[in-house]
């Protein structure tokens, strides 16, 4: 069992009731798909977290999947019946950025015992974990939060890095063609945040699930402070998670990411 990921084969079926389950399945092209899948079938006792309803504040103007504020996240955690010392397991469809987004939010909230199911939902089903189509009803909890503010940064924090006021390495998780500014189908301006390096998060998908990749070591070393970003803060989360799995110490996430940066600042190409 790693720092972030746990394989289905390392979980005990008999302990299913002891685990707190979060279903984070989603589809960026079809935002309703995750909830539809959850309503059809999910791990018994799992609560559903939707990327756009729960793990983003879509009313904010801070990129395509803006960071929820602390009060919103605290409410989500409490309404999901979470306790700070529980063993929490998160799954999505596997090889996706949604479970890691949820995992990162819980890290930010100071939860210590949270793991992402490496192979995703179907592997849990296949291994015999009980599933149901019934919505999970949980009793709300009351939490004393222990926010880990060093894990998060905003546009101003990234500007300080670009201006050389803070020494951190910016790491862009998008495809290289978008990073270089040669192609941009989503954002209005093509390019990348000045000075950023690039590591396409999809290089971390192996046999359909996320896994450490030693090629990361050629791009960033373990002793440098790193700030990861992508287009909207979603696909940066698997890169963040794998860096932590590989025991990189000082990593933070720019949740607003490129879609937030370009609303105010210049970009680089090439």
């Amino acid at each position: 069992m790693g720092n972030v990921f746990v394989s289905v084969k390392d979980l005990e079926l008999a302990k299913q009731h002891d685990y707190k389950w979060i279903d984070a399945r989603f589809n960026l092209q079809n935002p309703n798909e995750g909830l539809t899948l959850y309503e059809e079938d999910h791990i018994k006792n799992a609560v559903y977290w939707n990327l756009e309803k729960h793990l983003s504040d879509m009313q904010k103007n801070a990129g395509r999947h803006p960071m929820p504020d602390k009060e919103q996240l605290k409410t989500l955690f409490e309404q999901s019946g979470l306790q700070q010392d529980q063993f929490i397991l998160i799954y999505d469809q596997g090889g996706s950025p949604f479970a890691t987004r949820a995992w990162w939010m819980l890290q930010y909230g100071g939860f210590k015992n949270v793991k992402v199911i490496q192979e995703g939902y179907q592997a849990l089903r296949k291994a015999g974990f009980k599933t149901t189509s019934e919505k999970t009803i949980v009793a709300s909890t009351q939490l004393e939060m222990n926010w880990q503010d060093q894990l998060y940064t905003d546009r101003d924090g990234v500007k300080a890095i670009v201006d050389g006021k803070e020494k951190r390495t910016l790491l862009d998780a998008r495809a290289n063609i978008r990073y270089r500014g040669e192609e941009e189908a989503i954002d209005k301006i093509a390019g990348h945040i000045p000075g950023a390096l690039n590591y396409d998060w999809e290089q971390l998908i192996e046999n359909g699930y996320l896994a450490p990749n030693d090629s990361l070591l050629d791009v960033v070393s373990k002793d440098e402070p790193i700030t990861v970003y992508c287009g909207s803060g979603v696909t940066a989360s698997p890169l963040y998670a794998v860096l932590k799995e590989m025991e990189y110490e000082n990593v933070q996430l720019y949740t607003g990411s490129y879609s937030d940066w370009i609303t105010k600042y210049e970009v680089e190409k090439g």
Side-chain angles (χ1 to χ4, degrees), residues 97-143:
F98 313 115
T100 51
R101 169 84 166 197
W103 172 85
W104 183 85
M105 294 287 175
L106 287 162
Q107 299 301 302
Y108 177 64
F111 290 81
K112 296 277 185 248
N113 302 314
V114 189
K115 302 285 181 200
V116 171
I117 304 293
Q118 195 167 22
E119 304 91 340
Y121 177 66
Q122 291 303 331
L124 287 165
R125 276 195 72 175
K126 206 171 166 186
F129 285 86
K130 287 195 182 79
T131 63
T132 182
S133 59
E134 290 173 22
K135 188 181 176 187
T136 304
I137 308 297
V138 293
S140 290
T141 50
Q142 285 190 306
L143 296 169

Side-chain angles (χ1 to χ4, degrees), residues 5-229:
F5 299 102
V6 60
S7 174
V8 171
K9 64 180 184 292
D10 294 328
L11 295 174
E12 293 176 53
L13 261 178
K15 282 191 175 176
Q16 176 164 351
H17 295 301
D18 299 340
Y19 303 139
K20 186 77 192 178
W21 296 91
I22 295 168
D23 184 322
R25 286 177 289 174
F26 194 77
N27 180 347
L28 288 163
Q29 280 70 49
N30 177 5
N32 298 317
E33 185 179 290
L35 180 58
T36 302
L37 290 170
Y38 174 82
E39 287 172 342
E40 281 172 10
D41 199 38
H42 55 266
I43 296 296
K44 189 172 165 56
N45 297 324
V47 294
Y48 180 66
W49 285 6
N50 179 291
L51 170 67
E52 296 188 345
K53 189 179 170 195
H54 301 115
L55 301 175
S56 311
D57 181 351
M58 303 302 278
Q59 305 307 309
K60 278 187 189 165
N61 186 17
R64 280 195 309 282
H65 291 100
M67 180 76 175
D69 63 34
K70 287 177 177 175
E71 208 45 55
Q72 288 169 305
L73 286 172
K74 183 172 186 279
T75 300
L76 172 65
F77 301 155
E78 290 179 339
Q79 288 179 349
S80 301
L82 301 187
Q83 300 280 7
Q84 224 105 35
D85 54 357
Q86 266 174 322
F87 196 55
I88 302 168
L89 296 173
I90 312 171
Y91 63 85
D92 56 19
Q93 51 270 60
S96 300
F98 313 115
T100 51
R101 169 84 166 197
W103 172 85
W104 183 85
M105 294 287 175
L106 287 162
Q107 299 301 302
Y108 177 64
F111 290 81
K112 296 277 185 248
N113 302 314
V114 189
K115 302 285 181 200
V116 171
I117 304 293
Q118 195 167 22
E119 304 91 340
Y121 177 66
Q122 291 303 331
L124 287 165
R125 276 195 72 175
K126 206 171 166 186
F129 285 86
K130 287 195 182 79
T131 63
T132 182
S133 59
E134 290 173 22
K135 188 181 176 187
T136 304
I137 308 297
V138 293
S140 290
T141 50
Q142 285 190 306
L143 296 169
E144 290 290 322
M145 298 306 298
N146 178 25
W147 299 104
Q148 303 295 303
D149 290 309
Q150 75 281 4
L151 304 185
Y152 163 72
T153 195
D154 59 13
R155 195 194 305 142
D156 293 337
V158 173
K159 184 72 166 83
I161 299 167
V162 171
D163 291 347
K165 292 174 184 168
E166 189 176 352
K167 193 164 167 45
R168 297 186 72 88
T169 300
L170 287 166
L171 190 58
D172 186 320
R174 295 172 304 158
N176 190 252
I177 199 164
R178 289 181 68 198
Y179 165 82
R180 291 198 307 265
E182 290 169 16
E183 196 176 283
E184 184 52 68
I186 308 171
D187 291 305
K188 288 176 184 169
I189 301 164
H192 59 263
I193 298 175
L197 303 177
N198 179 227
Y199 189 91
D200 182 352
W201 78 278
E202 291 197 7
Q203 293 176 79
L204 304 171
I205 301 172
E206 188 182 305
N207 302 319
Y209 56 82
L210 294 167
N213 189 324
D214 284 346
S215 64
L216 255 173
L217 296 163
D218 299 329
V219 182
V220 280
S221 67
K222 289 192 177 183
D223 55 4
E224 59 190 301
I226 300 162
T227 299
V228 295
Y229 76 90

Side-chain angles (χ1 to χ4, degrees), residues 222-242:
K222 289 192 177 183
D223 55 4
E224 59 190 301
I226 300 162
T227 299
V228 295
Y229 76 90
C230 57
S232 72
V234 178
T235 60
S237 69
L239 181 52
Y240 178 101
V242 169

